[in-house]
Structures are given as structure tokens and as C-alpha cells.
Amino acid sequence: MPVINILIFLGGLLLLVKGSDLFVLTSSRIARRFGVSEFVIGLTLVSVGTSVPELASSLTASFQQASGIVIGNILGSNIANIGLIASTAALLTNIKTEEVMLRRDGYIMLFASFLLFFFMLDFKISRLEALIFILFYLAYLLFLLDKVKRHEEEIYFKDFMIYFFKFEYLFDLKSRIKLQVQEREKRNQNFEETKKSTQITGKRTQKKNESESEIEMRTKNESITELGTKSKTDPEYEDIDVEVTEENLYETSLLIEFFKLIASGAAIIIGAKYFVEQAVFFALLLEVPETLIGISLVAVGTSVPELMVTISAARSDYAGIALGNVIGSNIANILLILGCSGLVHPITVTGLSIYYIAPFMLIMSLLLILFIRTGWRVKKFEGLILILLYLSFMVLILWLG
């Protein structure tokens, strides 16, 4: 029977990962078709694209009140991102970094990690604390999109804290929404004016052709029928047919995209359901805490796609992108995913998470920041240290469990 459960577990993981990839891609396409701005797409889809598997599995576990799976998944994913993904990229090639990435995003990652540890000290994460996480993530996204892009000078962690506690993100969000509404109305107005202008021009051209045809019919004898037939194949008529055809193709293509969206959404839901159910099954079967299953099977399983992308990026000399993805993913895991999961149901935290797992996550985060500061690159031997620490910790934590 466990063999069947393993197959279901892997099948659920496959559905979850592939469904997430297709969902993000299709959602972006549909959003662009309807004229949704890059700001909205970036805020909602692209920013959480690489974290959809963790988000789906954590939300599913939260609905099932499997707090151990949720907290284990978040802590385990953050540890795996540093000890498995970043270390693998460093082993393949020295990762070059930028100072601003450390002093802004790196410190924000540290802040989120320490904030999580502080909230965990009372052995639970309440809905209020989850809401605080989400507010921080919303502020972080708007901070990147507004403050960082508008200012040519470098923006650091202290600027983010000022931005958050002065509630500047609320004003930025309001102005962004207002601007998007105005741009949408302007696009619709221009589209209607263009459409009316095209219709008027088409009617004038058609009347002109009809007048010319009448004159030719009066002045010629046997060529009347031929010219009348030929006039129906003029470019103006061809343009009308092409527009109709393109419109039909557009509608058909849009229907296909919606079908893909529904199918990918169903794949995520079904995959997450079976993935989490089998994770809980293995926890009961092996008589180990859910947190251990979350930090091992669930966390590593949802990190496999990112590991493959990291290996590909490192081989193509884009390892710096992988490091940025690790830091951004760790921020999203805590502030967004744990925040959403905590809003669904308050999360109970075990002593294992507080005394062992969370402190190790903080140690790994601090080590990553330290390695980045040494020459603004993560060297191969530093990657080796990270992966050895990760493997040692996993062996120790499973033995403790």
C-alpha cells in the first residue's frame, strides 16, 4: 500500500508543479489580452509565480488544519532555498552579487525571518500576525515598484522601514489604482474613436466604389458583369473579411486560454489535495510529527522545480538571478504564503520548530548574508559549506523526530 501512496504523492506533486507553471503563464496572457497593466500583472502573478506550489500546498494544509505541514513547509523551503538551491548554484559557478541586493532585499529577508521567529515564541501564529505579514509583503512589492524604480540613488532597508511605518504604500497603491483606471478609460476611448473612424472610412470607400461601378456600367457594354464581379474582390472587401477572421481567431484563442486556465487551476487544486493528504498519511504511518514531513517531503518536493531552474541558470552564467530568486522566494514564503495560510486558520507551532528548525533557518540566512559580503560573491567552498550544513541538519532533525 505505501507504494501506491508514494505514486499518488508524486503524482500530486507533478500536477501541482506543472499546473502552477501553466496557471501563471496563462493568467499573464489573458491579463495582457484584456489590457491589464504590467503593474497589476507583476503585483499579482509574476511576483508569486515561483511560489505557487508552496502557496497551494500551504493553503490546502491550512484548510485541513495541518499546522505542522504549513510551518514545516515554510521553514523547510527557506532552508532548502539556501542550503540546497543557492549552494548548488555556488558549487557550479561563483555567484556574483550586487551590494544593493544585500542591503535592501537581503536585510528584508533577515527581518522577515526574525519577525517570524518572534511571532512563533508563543507557540502560535494568529490571524492578526498573519495580516501583519501580508501588509509587509504588499508594502515590499509597492516599495520595489514605486520607490526603487523612481529613484536613481540606491534605496536600502532603512528606507523600506520608513516607507512601511509612514504608510506610504497605501497612498502609492491608491495613486496606482487611480492611474490604471484613467489609462484604461483612455484606451477604451481611443479604441472607440478608432473604430468609428474606420467604419466611416469604410463606408466612404464603399460608396466611392459603388459610384465608380455605376459610371463604368453606363459607359461600357459587355464588360459590365466582369467589372461588377471584380469590384467585390477589391482590397476594401478583403480587409473586412480579414478583420472578421482575425476577430474569430482572437475569440477562439481566448477561449483556449480560458480553458487552459481552468484546467491548470483544477490541476493545482487536485495536486495540492493529494500531495498534502499523502504527506499527512506518511506522518501518521511513520509516527513522526507533521512538521518533519513538512520540512522534508513537502518542502523539498515543492523546491525541486526551482532547483532545476537554478542548475540551468548557473550553467548559463546567470547564477546571480538564482540568488535573487532565493532571497525573493524566502521573503514571499514568510510574508505572503504564511500570511495567507494564517488568515485561513491560526497556525499552531511545535517546540521542534521553535527550538531547532527556526533557529537553523536564521543561521543559514545569516551565513548567506555573510558569504555575500565577502567580495560580493558566493564562492564554491562557501556553497559546499551551505550544502553540508543542510544535509547534516536534515539527518539530525529526522533523527530527533
Side-chain angles (χ1 to χ4, degrees), residues 272-341:
K273 177 179 180 294
Y274 286 110
F275 183 65
V276 172
E277 281 182 356
Q278 297 310 309
V280 174
F281 168 80
F282 285 118
L284 295 173
L285 180 67
L286 301 174
E287 297 182 351
V288 297
E290 290 180 349
T291 305
L292 289 184
I293 299 297
I295 196 177
S296 55
L297 290 177
V298 178
V300 175
T302 54
S303 299
V304 168
E306 293 175 353
L307 178 61
M308 296 299 103
V309 172
T310 299
I311 292 174
S312 176
R315 288 177 175 175
S316 304
D317 294 328
Y318 291 106
I321 297 175
L323 185 59
N325 183 41
V326 164
I327 294 175
S329 180
N330 281 13
I331 294 171
N333 285 343
I334 296 174
L335 300 182
L336 176 66
I337 297 175
L338 193 59
C340 292
S341 301

Side-chain angles (χ1 to χ4, degrees), residues 202-251:
K203 289 179 180 179
R204 288 176 179 174
T205 304
Q206 188 175 355
K207 287 181 180 179
K208 181 180 179 182
N209 290 337
E210 290 176 355
S211 300
E212 291 177 354
S213 298
E214 289 177 2
I215 294 172
E216 290 175 357
M217 287 174 67
R218 291 174 184 175
T219 56
K220 295 184 180 181
N221 297 323
E222 295 180 355
S223 60
I224 293 176
T225 305
E226 295 178 1
L227 290 173
T229 305
K230 188 177 180 181
S231 65
K232 292 181 181 179
T233 60
D234 283 345
E236 288 77 13
Y237 290 93
E238 292 178 0
D239 290 341
I240 294 172
D241 291 336
V242 169
E243 287 176 2
V244 172
T245 304
E246 288 179 350
E247 185 176 354
N248 291 335
L249 287 173
Y250 175 83
E251 292 176 355

Side-chain angles (χ1 to χ4, degrees), residues 65-215:
Q65 299 184 17
S67 297
I69 298 291
V70 177
I71 198 70
N73 185 22
I74 300 302
L75 295 176
S77 293
N78 281 20
I79 293 171
N81 282 342
I82 298 173
L84 186 61
I85 295 174
S87 63
T88 301
L91 286 172
L92 293 173
T93 179
N94 290 333
I95 305 177
K96 297 179 181 179
T97 60
E98 297 179 1
E99 183 178 353
V100 66
M101 184 169 66
L102 167 69
R103 296 190 175 180
R104 185 187 65 220
D105 305 288
Y107 290 159
I108 291 174
M109 180 190 72
L110 272 182
F111 168 76
S113 300
F114 277 101
L115 184 64
L116 171 60
F117 182 69
F118 176 74
F119 284 165
M120 288 171 58
L121 291 178
D122 60 351
F123 292 91
K124 68 176 182 179
I125 294 176
S126 65
R127 285 192 171 95
L128 176 60
E129 292 167 339
L131 182 61
I132 292 173
F133 281 143
I134 293 176
L135 285 177
F136 265 113
Y137 190 72
L138 176 64
Y140 174 64
L141 289 181
L142 291 171
F143 179 74
L144 292 179
L145 291 168
D146 286 285
K147 294 298 179 184
V148 175
K149 286 189 176 181
R150 287 179 185 175
H151 295 75
E152 293 183 359
E153 68 272 13
E154 295 176 343
I155 306 295
Y156 296 128
F157 171 71
K158 64 177 182 180
D159 301 300
F160 169 71
M161 299 306 293
I162 294 171
Y163 179 80
F164 179 82
F165 287 107
K166 282 188 174 181
F167 299 99
E168 293 182 31
Y169 53 95
L170 296 178
F171 300 103
D172 284 342
L173 182 61
K174 182 180 178 181
S175 62
R176 277 280 186 172
I177 294 173
K178 185 177 179 180
L179 180 63
Q180 298 306 318
V181 171
Q182 291 176 348
E183 289 181 354
R184 185 66 181 270
E185 290 177 351
K186 187 176 180 181
R187 280 198 301 267
N188 290 338
Q189 185 178 359
N190 292 337
F191 176 75
E192 292 296 331
E193 291 176 356
T194 304
K195 187 177 179 181
K196 289 180 181 179
S197 176
T198 303
Q199 290 176 349
I200 293 172
T201 304
K203 289 179 180 179
R204 288 176 179 174
T205 304
Q206 188 175 355
K207 287 181 180 179
K208 181 180 179 182
N209 290 337
E210 290 176 355
S211 300
E212 291 177 354
S213 298
E214 289 177 2
I215 294 172

